[in-house]
Amino acid sequence: MSILLKKNELGFFEIRLESIGGLGANLAGKMLAEAGVFSLGLKGSNFSSYGSEKKGSPVKSFIRFCEPDVEIRDHSPIEQPHIVGVFHEALYRTVDVVSGLNADGIVLVNTSRDFDDVKSDLHLEYGTLAIVDALTIAVEEKTKVNTAMLGALYRICDFLDPESMRDVIRKTFTRKYPHLVEPNIRTFDRGYNEVQFKTYEVPEGAEGKAFKRPLPTLGYMTQEIGGVMISQANSIFKDLSGSRQGFLPEFQQSKCIHCAACDNVCPDFCFVWEEGEDKRGRKQMFLKGIDYQYCKGCLKCVEACPTDALGDLREILSYADDNRVKQNFPYVTGGRI
């Protein structure tokens, strides 16, 4: 009897993890494949895809399983997964995370919001949506998001034995980080037990999401003459919000002494200043706010602030947009604005 209840035309059960560098999707994929191979005797493969600057940039991790009598001769990225695991909600803005998903596929999302809101953001019409608040679990257990997501993935992949992943966790952490073994096992168990599901009926004959390969905005036909970028930094759509791992700095202007300690440590010019006069009529620069578009949530400013004007805040959807103070870069569009 087949262990894998779903397979594609090549006999593979395929999982794609969508994340950003630093949340542990690469390690999660490796551990998931290892558990399936060693505990169930399945054949499996795992590999990841990411750019030169891994931390904070989009990351994809791919896992394939097949029966022992099937050879894995396909090592291309997974374009039509049975399961998609989304480690970071901010990826919705820049990455089509459900691209290529089968009509009856399952999407697992790290979120604290309700099903219908997430479904709307993903433009998901039907299939099964699973949600787990992996960030809260990781913060409370002082671990990482990936272990909680693994627990939820094991609940989805019911052919996998949870005890096998506990063994993998022990094997992975015991040698170098023995103090992290028990917290990670608790995190895994909470992810397994706290994940919730909601199925949206799949109509007969429904087709899955079409896979779209993302293409660069500037290419052979669209590059400026001479290859000159007319905007600052290295991207005309510079937006670091997808790099935040769940936290951002909260600014309280009433407590600010405008010392610029935050600006001195900020690597991305997030702080917006304006010229004014102090009580004696002397000219001075005053901190106006934060441009969250350029903030990757490193929280160096919070550590540097000598008052309580900056604090770390668990990111709430739309908070950054509602409280953003825009920078005035003169040459963003090739001319003054």
Side-chain angles (χ1 to χ4, degrees), residues 11 52 125 136 151 161 236 249 321:
S52 57
E125 299 174 29
T136 294
D161 178 15
I236 59 173
D321 293 333

Side-chain angles (χ1 to χ4, degrees), residues 47-68:
F47 56 99
S48 298
S49 171
Y50 44 81
S52 57
E53 296 181 10
K54 181 186 172 188
K55 189 166 186 179
S57 61
V59 171
K60 296 180 188 292
S61 184
F62 308 105
I63 304 100
R64 282 191 174 96
F65 289 120
C66 63
E67 302 292 346

Side-chain angles (χ1 to χ4, degrees), residues 211-229:
F211 178 78
K212 297 179 182 178
R213 192 179 301 278
L215 299 174
T217 303
L218 298 180
Y220 175 71
M221 299 296 293
T222 56
Q223 178 63 276
E224 295 290 326
I225 295 176
V228 177
M229 286 247 182

Side-chain angles (χ1 to χ4, degrees), residues 2-258:
S2 173
I3 297 176
L4 302 173
L5 300 180
K6 293 181 181 180
K7 303 174 191 175
N8 62 14
E9 63 276 6
L10 297 177
F12 301 145
F13 181 84
E14 298 184 324
I15 302 170
R16 187 175 72 219
L17 306 181
E18 301 274 0
S19 181
I20 63 169
L23 293 182
N26 184 36
L27 179 60
K30 176 180 178 296
M31 294 172 71
L32 186 61
E34 185 177 327
V37 170
F38 289 115
S39 68
L40 295 176
L42 295 170
K43 285 187 178 176
S45 68
N46 158 250
F47 56 99
S48 298
S49 171
Y50 44 81
S52 57
E53 296 181 10
K54 181 186 172 188
K55 189 166 186 179
S57 61
V59 171
K60 296 180 188 292
S61 184
F62 308 105
I63 304 100
R64 282 191 174 96
F65 289 120
C66 63
E67 302 292 346
D69 59 339
V70 177
E71 294 293 331
I72 298 181
R73 301 184 184 278
D74 184 1
H75 301 285
S76 61
I78 292 172
E79 297 182 350
Q80 293 182 303
H82 296 94
I83 298 173
V84 172
V86 185
F87 282 49
H88 197 306
E89 281 192 282
L91 284 168
Y92 302 168
R93 297 183 179 183
T94 55
V95 178
D96 184 4
V97 294
V98 296
S99 176
L101 182 69
N102 289 329
D104 59 347
I106 302 173
V107 184
L108 169 66
V109 182
N110 169 22
T111 183
S112 58
R113 297 188 296 142
D114 61 41
F115 288 99
D116 292 339
D117 286 344
V118 177
K119 174 179 178 285
S120 176
D121 285 349
L122 290 173
H123 304 292
L124 198 66
E125 299 174 29
Y126 31 71
T128 299
L129 181 59
I131 61 174
V132 62
D133 193 356
L135 179 58
T136 294
I137 296 172
V139 170
E140 290 176 356
E141 299 293 345
K142 298 181 180 179
T143 54
K144 281 197 170 185
V145 164
N146 60 345
T147 315
M149 291 292 285
L150 273 173
L153 285 166
Y154 257 69
R155 184 76 173 273
I156 295 170
C157 303
D158 53 7
F159 57 87
L160 294 172
D161 178 15
E163 189 56 40
S164 66
M165 178 50 68
R166 296 185 188 102
D167 291 338
V168 172
I169 291 173
R170 293 185 187 100
K171 179 182 174 182
T172 302
F173 292 102
T174 297
R175 191 170 181 180
K176 288 187 176 180
Y177 310 104
H179 61 288
L180 294 179
V181 173
E182 289 306 316
N184 274 282
I185 289 177
R186 288 197 304 270
T187 301
F188 173 80
D189 289 341
R190 287 187 61 182
Y192 185 89
N193 293 318
E194 294 179 22
V195 63
Q196 297 177 305
F197 300 89
K198 185 172 183 178
T199 299
Y200 298 90
E201 186 177 352
V202 181
E204 188 175 348
E207 296 183 357
K209 293 279 186 181
F211 178 78
K212 297 179 182 178
R213 192 179 301 278
L215 299 174
T217 303
L218 298 180
Y220 175 71
M221 299 296 293
T222 56
Q223 178 63 276
E224 295 290 326
I225 295 176
V228 177
M229 286 247 182
I230 58 175
S231 177
Q232 81 289 348
N234 60 1
S235 170
I236 59 173
F237 295 119
K238 185 180 179 187
D239 189 339
L240 300 181
S241 61
S243 300
R244 294 196 287 268
Q245 298 185 19
F247 293 89
L248 46 67
E250 179 186 22
F251 177 53
Q252 297 185 49
Q253 196 166 40
S254 61
K255 298 181 180 180
C256 182
I257 59 175
H258 312 288

